[in-house]
Amino acid sequence: MVSVTADQIRKRLSLTVADITDDDVLVFRGEAAAFLSEEIGKTLDAENCTEAEANAIRNLAAIYCYCKVSGGSAVGLDFSVGDLRVSPNAGKQLEFLKEQVERFIARQKRLGISLLEGP
């Protein structure tokens, strides 16, 4: 089992402590874990989770962090950066992270359904 750290989240989009504090990152980590928990019907603990769960939490929390530092907003998987111009590379990275989170949710939902159905 692994733990999701503030540094791991910031690293996803090359953010630094000067960009966003540990306290803010950890709040977003909690929000990401809570959102994902609701989506997959399983409580996720960012301090003690599988690597797949940790990756999904890191990715979603990184999107939230980017939105905060860029003046945008995020709720669940929806995010906007308003009128700010996002560099093509940052935009592609954000979209990649979002796609990774969406695939994690879809896999977990499929796995949950197959476990409930049984043999």
Side-chain angles (χ1 to χ4, degrees):
M1 301 305 264
V2 298
S3 177
V4 178
T5 67
D7 285 335
Q8 293 169 342
I9 293 167
R10 277 191 292 263
K11 186 176 180 181
R12 293 281 197 236
L13 292 170
S14 300
L15 298 172
T16 67
V17 176
D19 297 319
I20 186 164
T21 67
D22 281 356
D23 289 343
D24 285 338
V25 174
L26 295 178
V27 166
F28 291 135
R29 179 186 74 175
E31 290 178 9
F35 173 79
L36 292 168
S37 294
E38 285 291 318
E39 287 295 306
I40 66 172
K42 174 186 173 189
T43 301
L44 299 183
D45 177 2
E47 294 288 325
N48 185 26
C49 54
T50 67
E51 188 60 42
E53 294 165 348
N55 279 329
I57 293 168
R58 288 179 196 122
N59 290 342
L60 188 54
I63 291 170
Y64 294 167
C65 290
Y66 185 81
C67 286
K68 177 167 176 63
V69 302
S70 66
S73 63
V75 176
L77 289 176
D78 296 324
F79 62 92
S80 64
V81 186
D83 293 335
L84 297 175
R85 182 174 173 86
V86 179
S87 72
N89 289 338
K92 288 178 185 176
Q93 185 64 16
L94 288 172
E95 191 59 34
F96 173 76
L97 295 176
K98 181 180 175 189
E99 288 170 3
Q100 294 294 309
V101 171
E102 289 169 338
R103 287 207 312 265
F104 169 80
I105 291 169
R107 276 192 314 270
Q108 293 301 309
K109 285 183 175 181
R110 280 194 310 273
L111 179 61
I113 290 170
S114 63
L115 289 177
L116 291 175
E117 291 174 356

